[in-house]
Amino acid sequence: MRIASWNINGVKARLETVLAWLKEASPDVACFQEIKSIDDKFPKAPFEELGYHVETHGQKGFNGVALLSKHPFEEVNRRLPGDEEDEQARYIEGVVAGKTQPLRFGCLYLPNGNPVESEKFPYKLKWMDRLIEHARDTLAREEAFVLLGDYNVIPQKDDAARPQDWVEDALFKPESRARFRTLMNLGFTEAIRATNKSSGIYTFWDYQAGAWQKDNGIRIDHLLLSPEAASILTSTGIDKHVRGWEKPSDHVPVWADLSA
DNA sequence: ATGTCAGCGGTGCGCTGA
């Protein structure tokens, strides 16, 4: 079963690109971020025609996440617990039946957090604290659980082509990286790093300053596996070629195959 | 060379967020 995550940067602007990739990669489960659409305006039909069940959690203009699955959802939950006042649409969770066990997917769009001197950085850190608490509760279920999405965190120097450019950025600040480590230390396995130790593997290239042409990328899209999911991990990939397509997102799809 | 893009409000194109 192939599980994928992709920040698509707008479902309406990216519809043909996203459909082309789904036809090519045919993931069983896909988690999309930055759909930039309210739920009622999300173009579900073309995805359903490809065999997907579609669940969205969107808002007007920005943010928004969607969870697609070829298998029907047994459960869907929207919003990250821990702050009833938080209006930003950044989390959707779904459960599907695997061959031998339920499979739970937490699809997230973690706040960017820039500029760091604004209120956006503490919002990011607070959101990460809530994510850690929700992950801790969910891991206690002892299910195959994949927590995947655009984390907006560069975990290590090796995850950036030019780490020196990011030292003052919310994506690489010690406070962000420390929370990512705390999350990992709950017992997750990071799928890409578990299968590929090389440097120079990225998931995002800025639209500006010829970042793609210079391969000036960063690795910020991650799939975190619970122990039960990690034990059935077989392979992973980053569909880098998609960044070279017409009208690309600035992110590319990342995926993991599970024997489930 | 901070060199781009998407969505909004409202039908121009400056602002916001990334």
Side-chain angles (χ1 to χ4, degrees):
Chain A
M1 180 178 281
R2 181 160 295 184
I3 316 304
S5 172
W6 190 12
N7 180 322
I8 62 174
N9 190 15
V11 69
K12 296 182 209 45
R14 207 74 58 218
L15 187 58
E16 293 310 314
T17 309
V18 173
L19 293 171
W21 173 76
L22 281 175
K23 286 174 191 164
E24 174 187 290
S26 196
D28 297 277
V29 174
C31 161
F32 294 144
Q33 306 89 40
E34 281 207 87
I35 62 173
K36 295 187 177 180
S37 171
I38 59 172
D39 295 335
D40 287 347
K41 293 279 174 61
F42 189 97
K44 281 188 174 182
F47 296 98
E48 289 167 347
E49 285 165 19
L50 293 180
Y52 289 99
H53 302 267
V54 181
E55 297 288 344
T56 62
H57 182 212
Q59 68 181 91
K60 196 171 183 177
F62 307 105
N63 304 328
V65 285
L67 195 52
L68 282 71
S69 172
K70 290 185 176 177
H71 310 273
F73 289 102
E74 300 191 327
E75 177 186 331
V76 177
N77 301 303
R78 291 168 178 79
R79 305 174 65 92
L80 184 67
D83 184 358
E84 293 302 314
E85 316 269 285
D86 185 3
E87 297 297 329
Q88 299 193 29
R90 297 180 173 276
Y91 189 79
I92 187 168
E93 186 175 304
V95 180
V96 305
K99 283 199 288 270
T100 59
Q101 58 184 325
L103 306 167
R104 183 176 296 269
F105 302 98
C107 172
L108 65 91
Y109 176 43
L110 208 145
N112 176 294
N114 284 304
V116 291
E117 59 278 1
S118 74
E119 74 292 342
K120 290 178 183 176
F121 191 49
Y123 172 72
K124 174 181 192 150
L125 300 180
K126 184 164 176 246
W127 203 94
M128 293 188 83
D129 290 338
R130 288 165 57 200
L131 181 65
I132 289 162
E133 287 314 302
H134 181 61
R136 192 194 312 276
D137 292 344
T138 306
L139 286 171
R141 295 171 177 268
E142 300 188 349
E143 293 172 341
F145 172 46
V146 185
L147 189 58
L148 73 167
D150 177 357
Y151 277 77
N152 268 316
V153 174
I154 302 166
Q156 303 288 347
K157 268 191 202 171
D158 273 2
D159 297 313
R162 297 172 53 88
Q164 67 276 18
D165 288 359
W166 297 92
V167 290
E168 297 301 326
D169 194 284
L171 278 62
F172 196 55
K173 289 285 275 184
E175 297 93 328
S176 309
R177 296 172 61 204
R179 281 166 177 78
F180 186 78
R181 284 197 301 275
T182 299
L183 181 63
M184 287 294 299
N185 289 340
L186 297 176
F188 286 106
T189 296
E190 205 226 283
I192 299 290
R193 269 295 172 244
T195 50
N196 188 342
K197 306 292 187 198
S198 31
S199 57
I201 53 172
Y202 310 125
T203 65
F204 168 93
W205 295 260
D206 203 295
Y207 287 122
Q208 297 188 68
W212 168 243
Q213 289 75 10
K214 296 174 188 168
D215 197 26
N216 180 14
I218 52 176
R219 198 176 69 88
I220 56 175
D221 300 274
H222 310 298
L223 300 108
L224 270 53
L225 310 181
S226 74
E228 295 78 5
S231 67
I232 54 172
L233 173 66
T234 57
S235 60
T236 67
I238 300 175
D239 287 344
K240 182 174 180 178
H241 65 285
V242 172
R243 187 62 177 79
W245 285 0
E246 290 292 312
K247 270 183 77 75
S249 168
D250 39 7
H251 296 248
V252 296
V254 298
W255 52 263
D257 285 340
L258 304 181
S259 53

